[in-house]
Amino acid sequence: MNKQPSLLERLTIAMIGFFAFLQVYSVQAILPVLQSDLHASEVQIGMAVGATVLAIALISPFIGMLSDAFGRKRFIVGSLFLLALPTAMIGFGHTVDELIFWRFLQGLSIPGITVVLIAYISEEYKDSLTAMMSLYVSGTVLGGFSGRFFAGYLEHFIGWRHGYLAMAGLTLIGAVWVLNSLPTSRHFVVSENFKSAFATLISHTKNPHVISSCVLGGCVLFSLVGCFTFINLHLADAPYQLSTAQLANIFSIYLIGMAITPLTTQLIAHAGMVKTIMLAISLSVIGIILTLSTPLSLVIVGLTLMSSGVFITQSATISYLTSHVNQGRSLASGLYYFSYYGGGFIGAYGCAIAYQMGAWNGTVVLILILQLMALMIAWFFMHQKTQSAH
C-alpha cells in the first residue's frame, strides 16, 4: 500500500504542472502586439501558439519510452532546465519565423515534464491517484493562467522581449525547486527492452479505452486553443479594443477553473468518469455559445463556463485513461499527449483559417463542431464500453 503524500509532495506535484504550462500558451495574451510588431498574418500568429503544441505532440510518445528506460525525476527536472533556454531566446527574436522556431523548441522540452509526471503519479500515488491527478491539472491551470497574465502585464510594463527573459528566470527557479522537493521514485521499474516497449505501444493503439481517451483529448485541446487564441484578436478589435493588460485580466477566469478542477474527484465519485466527462463537455458547449454575445460581461461568463468544462474534461479523461491501463502507463500517457496536443495544433491552424474567413463567429462554429464530436465519442465509445463491461 502506498503511503499518503505529504503536503510538500502535493504542492510540488501541483507546481510541476504550473511550471510546465507557464510557457505553453503565454503568447496568447500578447498576440495582437506580436502580430503588429512582427508584421504577421492571423495564420502566422496562430502558428506561434500551434508550434509549441505540435512539438509536444510529436515527441510525447518517445519521451514515454525513454522515461521507462531511464527514470522519472531526472527527465522532469532536466526538461525544466532545458525549457528556460528557448524561453529566454524568444526575447531576442525579430521575425515571426524566429518566434515560431523558439516556440517549437519550448514544446520539445515540455513532454519530459508532463508525460513523465503522469507516469510518476500513477506509480507513486496509486492510493490517491484521482486526487493527485486533480492537483496536477490544477497546477497546469494556474500555470496556463499565469503565463498569459505575466506575459500581458510584463509586455505592458517592460515590453514582451524583457518579459520573456523574466519568464525564463522564473522557469529556472522552478527547476531548482523541483530538483530539491520531488521525491525520488520508489516504485519505478526500469524497462530496458525497447522491442517490448513498441509492442506495448501497439497494444495501446488497439485498446478502445486508450483510443477514445486520445481522440477526446484532441477534440478538447482543439477547442481550448482555438477559443483562447482568437478570442484575443476578437477582444482587441472593435467594439472592445482591450489592451494586453486587459486581455491578461480576462485570463483570470482560469483561476475559477483551478478551483473547480479538484471537485472532479467528487463528481467522479458520484456520477462516474464518463458521465462527468459528458457533463463537462456540455458545459463547454454552453460557454462557447455565450461568447457570441456582444456584452463583454456575457463573453467572460461564456469563457468561464467553456474553460471550466475543459479542465474537468481533461482531469476526468486522464483519470479514465490511467485507470484502464495496467502496463506501459508512460507510453499510454505519451499517446494521449500526442493526440491531445496534435488536436491543439490543428485547432490553432484550423481556427486561424476560420477567423480569417468568418471572424469570431466562424471560429465558434468550428469549435462547436469539435465539441459535439467529443460528446459523441464520450457517449458512443466510453459510455457504451463501460455499460457493456458491466
Side-chain angles (χ1 to χ4, degrees):
M1 184 173 180
N2 297 53
K3 74 179 185 70
Q4 288 299 305
S6 67
L7 180 61
L8 179 60
E9 288 176 66
R10 293 173 186 270
L11 180 61
T12 300
I13 291 297
M15 293 315 292
I16 292 171
F18 170 85
F19 287 115
F21 279 78
L22 187 65
Q23 309 302 340
V24 176
Y25 306 112
S26 57
V27 297
Q28 285 181 328
I30 59 172
L31 281 184
V33 172
L34 291 173
Q35 186 176 14
S36 175
D37 285 359
L38 303 177
H39 309 291
S41 67
E42 283 89 350
V43 173
Q44 286 176 315
I45 212 65
M47 286 303 94
V49 179
T52 302
V53 293
L54 175 63
I56 295 171
L58 292 175
I59 201 170
S60 288
F62 305 105
I63 287 294
M65 290 183 190
L66 289 171
S67 173
D68 281 347
F70 296 107
R72 310 299 188 206
K73 182 175 177 177
R74 68 180 64 183
F75 264 90
I76 295 169
V77 174
S79 297
L80 278 166
F81 277 110
L82 285 173
L83 179 57
L85 178 60
T87 301
M89 292 306 297
I90 287 174
F92 296 100
H94 290 90
T95 68
V96 69
D97 290 335
E98 289 178 52
L99 173 64
I100 291 169
F101 175 74
W102 293 119
R103 289 280 297 162
F104 184 83
L105 289 191
Q106 280 185 316
L108 293 180
S109 303
I110 290 167
I113 309 166
T114 54
V115 173
V116 180
L117 184 64
I118 287 179
Y120 178 94
I121 291 171
S122 64
E123 289 165 355
E124 304 301 319
Y125 304 112
K126 289 180 182 178
D127 297 332
S128 47
L129 175 64
T130 305
M132 293 300 279
M133 208 66 80
S134 293
L135 277 172
Y136 160 67
V137 174
S138 293
T140 68
V141 172
L142 179 61
F145 155 72
S146 298
R148 297 161 167 107
F149 188 81
F150 294 165
Y153 271 92
L154 287 168
E155 195 286 324
H156 184 74
F157 289 112
I158 61 175
W160 60 270
R161 298 182 191 282
H162 290 102
Y164 269 97
L165 292 175
M167 297 265 274
L170 188 58
T171 302
L172 284 175
I173 292 170
V176 173
W177 178 352
V178 175
L179 175 64
N180 291 310
S181 300
L182 184 67
T184 304
S185 297
R186 296 179 293 268
H187 303 283
F188 170 70
V189 177
V190 176
S191 173
E192 297 178 346
N193 191 336
F194 279 84
K195 186 180 289 187
S196 68
F198 276 106
T200 302
L201 188 65
I202 296 298
S203 71
H204 285 330
T205 64
K206 299 175 183 177
N207 184 332
H209 298 294
V210 174
I211 295 305
S212 56
S213 298
C214 289
V215 177
L216 179 60
C219 291
V220 165
L221 198 64
F222 182 108
S223 305
L224 189 66
V225 169
C227 176
F228 281 91
T229 297
F230 296 98
I231 193 69
N232 294 283
L233 299 184
H234 176 58
L235 295 179
D237 205 352
Y240 310 102
Q241 296 182 314
L242 300 188
S243 67
T244 54
Q246 289 172 320
L247 290 173
N249 289 337
I250 294 290
F251 288 109
S252 297
I253 63 172
Y254 263 55
L255 298 179
I256 298 172
M258 190 183 73
I260 287 175
T261 302
L263 299 178
T264 306
T265 307
Q266 282 73 39
L267 274 172
I268 290 173
H270 286 91
M273 291 181 186
V274 179
K275 286 184 180 177
T276 297
I277 290 168
M278 292 173 66
L279 286 169
I281 295 170
S282 300
L283 188 66
S284 292
V285 168
I286 294 168
I288 195 67
I289 291 172
L290 277 178
T291 65
L292 293 171
S293 307
T294 301
L296 183 60
S297 57
L298 274 180
V299 175
I300 292 171
V301 170
L303 290 173
T304 303
L305 293 177
M306 193 273 180
S307 58
S308 297
V310 165
F311 300 145
I312 295 170
T313 303
Q314 185 194 10
S315 182
T317 303
I318 292 173
S319 295
Y320 176 91
L321 173 65
T322 54
S323 67
H324 285 85
V325 173
N326 296 317
Q327 60 176 346
R329 286 191 178 92
S330 64
L331 289 173
S333 61
L335 274 177
Y336 173 80
Y337 275 109
F338 173 77
S339 179
Y340 182 73
Y341 286 104
F345 170 73
I346 296 168
Y349 186 74
C351 289
I353 295 171
Y355 193 88
Q356 259 188 344
M357 294 176 65
W360 181 242
N361 288 356
T363 308
V364 169
V365 169
L366 183 57
I367 291 170
L368 279 173
I369 292 170
L370 266 290
Q371 288 190 325
L372 292 174
M373 188 185 301
L375 202 54
M376 287 190 290
I377 289 165
W379 172 257
F380 288 109
F381 293 94
M382 290 180 165
H383 180 72
Q384 300 295 358
K385 288 287 180 184
T386 304
Q387 292 296 102
S388 62
H390 294 293

